[in-house]
Amino acid sequence: MLNKVDVEATVVNGGSTSQAGATRYGLSMALRSFVPQEMLLKMKIAGLLQRDLRRRERKKPGQRGARAKYTWLKR
């Protein structure tokens, strides 16, 4: 699709890697209906059509963060 499509994307929040991944996923989902079936299979094998479902783990009560704990003091 080189030199066939012109895209301008605005991504808010997250880091630079997350924003690049979100842009890549959005473009591949948008181009899905414009490419032939064999290209779609190649995109699927490359992992372009798979969403990253990882999210931030919540903070637990009684702890400093999601996994970090306060320093335990005996006295």
Side-chain angles (χ1 to χ4, degrees), residues 2 7 9 11 16 19 22 24-25 30 38 40 61 66-67 72-73:
L2 193 62
V7 177
V11 183
S16 58
Q19 289 180 351
R24 187 180 73 170
Y25 176 71
E38 51 273 356
L40 192 63
R67 299 192 178 208
W72 182 77
L73 295 173

Side-chain angles (χ1 to χ4, degrees), residues 47-65:
L48 294 175
L49 300 176
Q50 188 173 358
R51 189 167 176 222
D52 188 8
L53 297 175
R54 294 178 290 182
R55 296 288 174 258
R56 181 182 168 272
E57 192 174 340
R58 74 175 189 91
K59 181 194 175 300
K60 275 67 169 201
Q63 296 180 6
R64 232 177 34 196

Side-chain angles (χ1 to χ4, degrees), residues 1 3 7-8 12-13 17-18 22 31 38 42 53 55 57 62 65-66 68 73 75:
M1 299 302 289
N3 296 327
V7 177
E8 186 174 325
V12 182
N13 292 338
T17 305
S18 299
L31 292 173
E38 51 273 356
K42 289 179 183 179
L53 297 175
R55 296 288 174 258
E57 192 174 340
L73 295 173
R75 291 182 179 86

Side-chain angles (χ1 to χ4, degrees), residues 1 5 25-41 43 49:
M1 299 302 289
V5 180
Y25 176 71
L27 284 173
S28 60
M29 292 303 282
L31 292 173
R32 201 168 73 173
S33 59
F34 297 107
V35 296
Q37 190 67 27
E38 51 273 356
M39 179 63 81
L40 192 63
L41 182 62
M43 288 170 66
L49 300 176

